[in-house]
Amino acid sequence: MQNIVILTGAGVSAESGLGTFRDMDGLWTRYDLADVATPEGYQRDPDLVLAFYNARRRNCREAIPNAAHYALARLEETFPGRVTLVTQNIDDLHERAGHREVIHMHGELMKALCGACDHRWGWLGTMSRDDACPVCGAVGQVRPDVVWFGEVPYWMDEIAARLARCKLFLSIGTSGAVYPAAGFVAEASAQGARTLELNLEQSDGAALFDQVRLGPASQTVPAWVSALIDAE
Ligand code: OAD
């Protein structure tokens, strides 16, 4: 029995129809990250940023979890050790596949954050500059509860504690281009954990892993989960 930390990125949701960021035709080939995913971009043109996330939210609501999300939920349910799922994704496909504890280090598309009082609450529809915070009443301060470049990711202390105790670190569908998540493999390795990457192609950080398995997450993840559960 062992503790496992799993990090997921956009690749785990790619086969659900949600675009990745850096692949050919990825979101960052069509949008300037500085315009739509930074506090400065939001200050310059809040309507553009809200429209970007409104489109992401609509896509997300139309998407359904794939076999990789379901396999990870099955692992959480059946594995005798502790399974920690940390995701960089702001979609809710892990939860909709039945995963109970999901650490969203880059926030959640289906939540709003009040820039005036920090209140957070569920948000499924379109967001506009006319929306008011239900707690403090501020208008024009409601933004998606997502972490932008230049902001500090959520749950970093909790994630560090889980990495320090894990025996196996698994990275799925992330390019390893964005820190601090890209540094988790080195942190886990330094604590003596085995490390495995499941990705469509070699990521930037592939050399840091003990083992790399290439292929679509909908195939590699269920196969890995089944083998692990059978071995217990
Ligand atoms: P990227 O777009 O950088 O990387 C996606 C990775 O998924 C690539 O390595 C692909 O090879 C892989 N991939 C694509 N399809 C796959 C499939 N079917 N199965 C398995 N792997 C597949 O996305 P992230 O690494 O998640 O942050 O990006 C990290 C962060 O950068 C995001 O959370 C976001 C972005 O800017 C913020 O916006 C703060």
Side-chain angles (χ1 to χ4, degrees):
M1 182 158 63
Q2 54 181 355
N3 291 340
I4 304 174
V5 174
I6 300 168
L7 172 69
T8 61
V12 82
S13 297
E15 290 163 87
S16 294
L18 299 183
T20 63
F21 296 96
R22 294 174 183 80
D23 290 314
M24 201 166 36
D25 204 35
L27 280 172
W28 296 155
T29 65
R30 287 178 281 133
Y31 295 89
D32 189 337
L33 179 160
D35 287 340
V36 297
T38 63
E40 296 76 18
Y42 181 64
Q43 264 163 17
R44 269 197 309 274
D45 192 346
D47 290 330
L48 174 79
V49 175
L50 294 180
F52 175 79
Y53 287 99
N54 285 337
R56 306 274 78 71
R57 196 178 300 106
R58 266 197 312 276
N59 291 347
C60 178
R61 290 190 66 185
E62 286 164 9
I64 52 171
N66 66 55
H69 299 104
Y70 285 112
L72 293 175
R74 182 162 85 94
L75 181 70
E76 180 192 47
E77 176 84 30
T78 53
F79 191 68
R82 185 174 206 178
V83 177
T84 296
L85 178 64
V86 180
T87 188
Q88 297 166 91
N89 298 344
I90 57 177
D91 67 56
D92 61 354
L93 295 181
H94 284 303
E95 286 90 343
R96 283 202 268 140
H99 217 108
R100 287 191 305 271
E101 191 201 19
V102 185
I103 299 180
H104 280 276
M105 64 178 292
H106 289 168
E108 293 174 68
L109 196 48
M110 302 298 176
K111 285 190 181 160
L113 166 66
C114 174
C117 75
D118 278 348
H119 177 60
R120 291 179 164 81
W121 69 105
W123 196 285
L124 296 180
T126 300
M127 195 176 274
S128 87
R129 295 279 289 155
D130 299 331
D131 293 314
C133 171
V135 168
C136 75
V139 175
Q141 295 285 338
V142 177
R143 56 170 275 188
D145 186 16
V146 299
V147 175
W148 286 324
F149 287 89
E151 297 180 325
V152 181
Y154 297 156
W155 306 107
M156 290 311 296
D157 291 344
E158 185 62 35
I159 294 168
R162 305 278 184 112
L163 285 170
R165 287 195 296 268
C166 79
K167 291 278 176 279
L168 175 62
F169 173 77
L170 176 69
S171 170
I172 306 170
T174 173
S175 61
V178 176
Y179 282 84
F184 291 170
V185 57
E187 272 181 64
S189 252
Q191 310 278 353
R194 270 192 313 120
T195 57
L196 169 65
E197 170 170 70
L198 302 181
N199 211 39
L200 195 57
E201 53 198 31
Q202 296 257 341
S203 72
D204 294 354
L208 299 169
F209 289 85
D210 296 324
Q211 204 192 350
V212 175
R213 290 186 202 162
L214 302 181
S218 66
Q219 293 174 22
T220 56
V221 178
W224 174 77
V225 167
S226 294
L228 190 71
I229 291 174
D230 289 350
E232 277 300 317

